[in-house]
Amino acid sequence: MSYAIASLNVGKPTVHQLDGQEIKTGFKKTPTHQPNYLTVTGFENDGQADLKNHGGEEKALLMYPKDHYRYWEEKYQRDFPYPAFGENITIVGLTENDLYIGDVFQLGEAEIQVSQPRQPCYKIAKVHDLKDMPAVVTETGFSGYYFRVLKEGVVKPTDRLIKVKEDPQQVSPVDVFHCLFHDRKNRKKMEQYLQIEALAPNVKKSLTKRMEKLG
């Protein structure tokens, strides 16, 4: 199974005037036609401003499905050029339902593994001047997903994303997203997801804290 890259996107953090505020962010990325070296913390030509909530080895690479763009354009009656959701790769035909936490893919010279769903960020509302957008992301689950990098290497925009290993537990990013934001008291699901070796530690920490509060 292989998937085409619609757009490969990078950008260093810069300061923008958003909703009357000066905000430094790496959300605003630009499509590139050049090869980029993918390290364990992301593309060399990319970066994040808020390293507490973004970036790091468990969020080295963000993908967003091209398939969702039509929904957003129809909902808001406007164009959303790539990468409207701050993604490093706009991917064709691979939504949050179509892969599993722990799946391993070849991407150019690099090898990457699905680590967690992306969680809605307020900056998406600021960038697009759409206050309800994070809530709609939460409602739809059209959030995108993160990878960790198992093997570094050069990635070209013409490369295809090739699945090389499927996680046997078959828990999708949207399954975890639903538990985090909708099915918030489902202890059975939380216990199940905590057993997924490849699930990012920060997500496991959130689930563990929630279980402790439930008692």
Side-chain angles (χ1 to χ4, degrees):
M1 299 175 72
S2 71
Y3 305 88
I5 295 172
S7 185
L8 193 156
N9 318 293
V10 293
K12 294 289 190 180
T14 50
V15 176
H16 300 272
Q17 285 286 341
L18 301 173
D19 194 24
Q21 294 178 288
E22 274 197 355
I23 297 177
K24 188 176 183 180
T25 178
F27 186 97
K28 286 195 168 188
K29 303 186 187 301
T30 305
T32 178
H33 301 291
Q34 301 302 316
N36 268 258
Y37 191 80
L38 182 61
T39 76
V40 291
T41 54
F43 284 119
E44 284 189 339
N45 295 326
D46 194 55
Q48 297 81 30
D50 177 8
L51 294 177
K52 180 180 178 182
N53 295 303
H54 303 285
E57 293 186 6
E58 297 299 318
K59 298 179 180 177
L61 182 71
L62 174 63
M63 281 195 194
Y64 196 82
K66 175 188 174 185
D67 310 61
H68 294 335
Y69 271 77
R70 178 180 290 181
Y71 169 85
W72 296 111
E73 289 173 347
E74 289 179 353
K75 178 172 180 62
Y76 291 110
Q77 292 296 297
R78 59 188 270 190
D79 290 334
F80 286 92
Y82 308 140
F85 298 88
E87 70 267 23
N88 299 113
I89 290 179
T90 315
I91 197 73
V92 180
L94 192 65
T95 74
E96 298 85 354
N97 281 301
D98 300 324
L99 75 173
Y100 304 120
I101 303 294
D103 282 0
V104 177
F105 291 83
Q106 190 76 28
L107 181 63
E109 296 177 354
E111 191 172 82
I112 60 178
Q113 183 179 44
V114 185
S115 58
Q116 64 186 93
R118 183 216 210 150
Q119 300 188 30
C121 175
Y122 77 94
K123 287 178 183 173
I124 197 171
K126 299 284 188 184
V127 167
H128 296 298
D129 195 23
L130 294 166
K131 289 184 170 56
D132 68 331
M133 207 168 189
V136 180
V137 170
T138 303
E139 179 188 346
T140 59
F142 293 172
S143 61
Y145 41 86
Y146 285 107
F147 292 82
R148 62 175 64 88
V149 176
L150 303 179
K151 177 188 172 187
E152 298 183 342
V154 174
V155 179
K156 303 188 298 294
T158 53
D159 288 331
R160 292 183 71 87
L161 180 70
I162 303 167
K163 183 184 279 192
V164 296
K165 182 181 177 184
E166 185 168 283
D167 190 87
Q169 297 190 66
Q170 297 189 343
V171 173
S172 71
V174 81
D175 291 332
V176 177
F177 187 92
H178 185 75
C179 185
L180 286 170
F181 294 100
H182 301 287
D183 198 11
R184 297 172 60 87
K185 295 183 179 181
N186 193 327
R187 179 181 290 274
K188 184 178 179 181
K189 288 291 185 186
M190 286 186 267
E191 289 174 347
Q192 176 191 354
Y193 298 161
L194 285 171
Q195 299 307 309
I196 302 172
E197 184 178 351
L199 184 61
N202 62 292
V203 179
K204 288 186 175 182
K205 185 177 180 180
S206 296
L207 294 175
T208 299
K209 282 185 175 180
R210 187 175 299 172
M211 287 176 64
E212 289 171 352
K213 287 183 179 179
L214 289 174

